[in-house]
Amino acid sequence: MNFQPVLLWSDLLFWLLAFAVIGLGVYSARVEHLRRAWTRLGRDPVATGTASILCVFLAVGLMDSLHYRPRLEENLAASETLDAARYAVEVRSLLDALLSDLREQHEKTYSAPLAIRLYVMETEETEMGVTRDYPRLTRGGAHLADESGHRRDLLLRAAQGIVLAALLLFPLKMALARHRKRCPDASGFAWQGVLHALGVFLLFALPIAFLAAGYHVFGTDKVGQDVLYQALKSIRTALVISLVTTLIMLPLAIFLGIVAGYFRGWADDLIQYVYTVLNSIPGVLLIAAAVLMMQVFIDTHPQWFTTAAERADLRLVALCFILGVTSWTGLARLLRGETLKLRELDYIQAARAFGVSSARIIARHLLPNLMHLVIIALVMDFSALVLTEAVLSYIGIGVDPAMMSFGSMINNARMELSREPAVWWSLAAAFAFMLILVLCANLFADALRNALADTLADSQPEDRASSLATG
């Protein structure tokens, strides 16, 4: 086999969460008020459009979570003496294989977006003597024999991407128009939102793809690495931080919040004391102390890691665990307050009077009526955790420096902005990708919150009381 599969801890948790989201969808389809909320959400073009963009980010993250070690090319003598195949120490992903041109072809140092020469002057020896000039790039615009065709080549490649996007969108637009003509009164899924989001994505992605085949679209950094490649690789780090932290935080918040609100008494007092103490400690200091202790532990046990990717991955998972343990308090407090209100409703009191066990009441009556708060908090915390990773990496207590992330890109760009001339494109690329990801998450969260609120407002008390008969 030409590669050896590698399963990192973050890969396992990321894929587990992806299947958990599918399970949540199946569960929501079985709960009446959640099913009505998702149906209402599907009729919102903003929700379907932003969800489509988020699915693109998720697809990039999943492709970057399939890791492997490529097989080394052995010479003939080695292949005759060695029976076992040897694999590279470097761990790659499926995304690395798809972006091999961007990953492997480096420049000497900085180059501006879509440039064909370095951003830094170098001394060159020519027939005319020693001169200082901006050297040509080894990859960016290397196919151009004459620099005068640079601008024309850029316009041609961008036009090819736009034309291809139009050719792909036109049949979809016509199919949607025919569907509307046949069913003018249909109030089903908002396909127009998906189509608009797909159109915007293709109109940007395809020209960038055509340009990236011959240029560095977002330039290169200090060591000559493509900034577009760094931004795409940073998507997985942002998703892992936000989603895996949520996976760790949710069970704690749901369990402790419901227990405190339902049982009250000493359990409520103890849980309130715990999250009050956690909230009284400055969050950044608590996270910094935990991360530094974990880093000391990793540095003292180098024999546990066969590759640098495993070492960086353990720090990433540890950061997710630390953020999850320290960020469950807000949702737990919210669920406690809602549980205190729900436990006093008539159908809960009737269930207790009939001798229904507390575990069955929580699972059958309380948890389904709290899931709307859990879903809203999950989506709202997503964008907050993406920004948290950027802040922590910026101050040096985030992910491993060898792992690409938006925070690391911003941190590296900090000194580049102070040089003359300023190198601005690393910061701009990280900002653009983070803005799109966080904005789509926030818009989707707003649409989801409105759909759930409208569905709960339309629900009649009899609908909740009827659940007692089925319990």
Side-chain angles (χ1 to χ4, degrees):
M1 192 164 59
N2 293 329
F3 65 92
Q4 182 185 57
V6 175
L7 181 63
L8 302 177
W9 282 106
S10 59
D11 297 339
L12 178 62
L13 294 174
F14 196 22
W15 282 98
L16 178 63
L17 189 58
F19 287 113
V21 171
I22 297 176
L24 179 62
V26 175
Y27 173 78
S28 299
R30 300 175 59 183
V31 180
E32 179 63 25
H33 69 279
L34 292 180
R35 181 170 64 250
R36 292 200 303 267
W38 287 110
T39 302
R40 189 188 298 267
L41 184 69
R43 298 170 182 170
D44 187 355
V46 175
T48 56
T50 53
S52 302
I53 300 298
L54 291 176
C55 287
V56 173
F57 280 97
L58 183 61
V60 173
L62 291 175
M63 287 190 295
D64 204 16
S65 296
L66 296 173
H67 287 96
Y68 67 95
R69 294 170 61 184
R71 184 174 180 177
L72 294 175
E73 296 293 338
E74 300 172 343
N75 55 38
L76 181 60
S79 61
E80 293 176 352
T81 57
L82 296 177
D83 296 331
R86 290 186 177 183
Y87 298 93
V89 176
E90 180 186 10
V91 177
R92 301 177 186 175
S93 67
L94 177 60
L95 184 65
D96 291 326
L98 296 176
L99 303 177
S100 58
D101 290 341
L102 298 180
R103 182 181 62 86
E104 296 173 356
Q105 298 189 21
H106 289 198
E107 306 295 345
K108 290 183 179 180
T109 183
Y110 299 113
S111 65
L114 300 175
I116 60 176
R117 288 184 175 272
L118 285 178
Y119 199 63
V120 179
M121 296 185 68
E122 291 186 355
T123 302
E124 296 181 345
E125 293 186 2
T126 63
E127 297 178 355
M128 304 297 296
V130 178
T131 61
R132 287 183 58 82
D133 195 6
Y134 298 96
R136 283 289 299 269
L137 300 179
T138 58
R139 179 180 182 272
H143 59 284
L144 295 176
D146 186 5
E147 295 186 27
S148 61
H150 178 209
R151 181 172 299 180
R152 179 179 176 275
D153 187 60
L154 292 178
L155 294 176
L156 179 61
R157 289 173 179 267
Q160 290 175 345
I162 294 174
V163 170
L164 180 58
L167 292 177
L168 293 176
L169 289 173
F170 182 74
L172 298 178
K173 185 69 174 179
M174 295 300 296
L176 181 60
R178 286 196 300 268
H179 174 72
R180 286 182 174 180
K181 187 176 181 180
R182 292 177 181 176
C183 306
D185 298 329
S187 58
F189 191 80
W191 287 107
Q192 66 272 20
V194 178
L195 184 61
H196 293 161
L198 181 63
V200 173
F201 170 74
L202 291 178
L203 287 175
F204 279 93
L206 290 181
I208 289 177
F210 276 90
L211 290 169
Y215 300 93
H216 300 286
V217 179
F218 292 116
T220 57
D221 61 0
K222 186 176 182 179
V223 296
Q225 192 171 43
D226 191 273
V227 174
L228 176 60
Y229 172 74
Q230 295 180 23
L232 292 174
K233 291 286 290 184
S234 300
I235 292 176
R236 176 185 180 270
T237 305
L239 293 178
V240 169
I241 287 287
S242 55
L243 297 179
V244 175
T245 299
T246 302
L247 179 66
I248 297 172
M249 175 266 293
L250 274 183
L252 282 174
I254 294 174
F255 176 76
L256 296 178
I258 293 178
V259 168
Y262 182 77
F263 293 102
R264 299 191 295 186
W266 65 268
D268 186 18
D269 294 337
L270 178 61
I271 293 173
Q272 286 191 77
Y273 177 79
V274 171
Y275 67 60
T276 300
V277 171
L278 283 177
N279 286 335
S280 64
I281 303 174
V284 175
L285 295 180
L286 182 61
I287 295 172
V291 169
L292 292 176
M293 288 189 295
M294 174 55 66
Q295 187 61 42
V296 171
F297 178 79
I298 293 175
D299 292 339
T300 55
H301 297 83
Q303 68 277 7
W304 289 6
F305 313 102
T306 57
T307 62
E310 294 179 359
R311 176 190 178 95
D313 184 73
L314 180 60
R315 177 166 174 171
L316 176 63
V317 174
L319 180 61
C320 295
F321 181 80
I322 293 166
L323 290 174
V325 170
T326 57
S327 61
W328 60 269
T329 56
L331 180 58
R333 183 187 289 110
L334 182 63
L335 294 179
R336 171 186 173 273
E338 188 69 13
T339 304
L340 286 173
K341 181 182 71 174
L342 292 176
R343 75 183 302 274
E344 302 300 331
L345 296 179
D346 293 339
Y347 70 97
I348 299 292
Q349 295 297 327
R352 298 178 64 183
F354 278 111
V356 180
S357 64
S358 297
R360 186 168 180 81
I361 291 175
I362 292 174
R364 185 72 177 178
H365 303 300
L366 288 180
L367 189 58
N369 290 301
L370 294 173
M371 285 305 296
H372 66 285
L373 296 177
V374 174
I375 295 174
I376 292 174
L378 188 151
V379 181
M380 292 295 290
D381 288 344
F382 174 86
S383 56
L385 289 169
V386 171
L387 298 176
T388 299
E389 181 276 324
V391 173
L392 294 178
S393 297
Y394 176 76
I395 62 179
I397 58 173
V399 299
D400 191 271
M403 180 171 288
M404 299 179 189
S405 69
F406 293 127
S408 300
M409 292 179 65
I410 295 174
N411 186 33
N412 295 333
R414 177 179 55 180
M415 299 302 296
E416 296 173 351
L417 291 175
S418 61
R419 69 186 303 275
E420 183 62 34
V423 178
W424 51 268
W425 43 86
S426 294
L427 180 62
F431 175 79
F433 276 79
M434 286 183 60
L435 175 63
I436 296 172
L437 179 58
V438 173
L439 181 61
C440 290
N442 287 340
L443 291 175
F444 183 77
D446 290 340
L448 178 60
R449 180 183 58 195
N450 295 334
L452 289 170
D454 294 341
T455 301
L456 292 177
D458 295 340
S459 299
Q460 298 297 325
E462 292 81 358
D463 296 336
R464 291 185 176 183
S466 64
S467 63
L468 178 61
T470 61

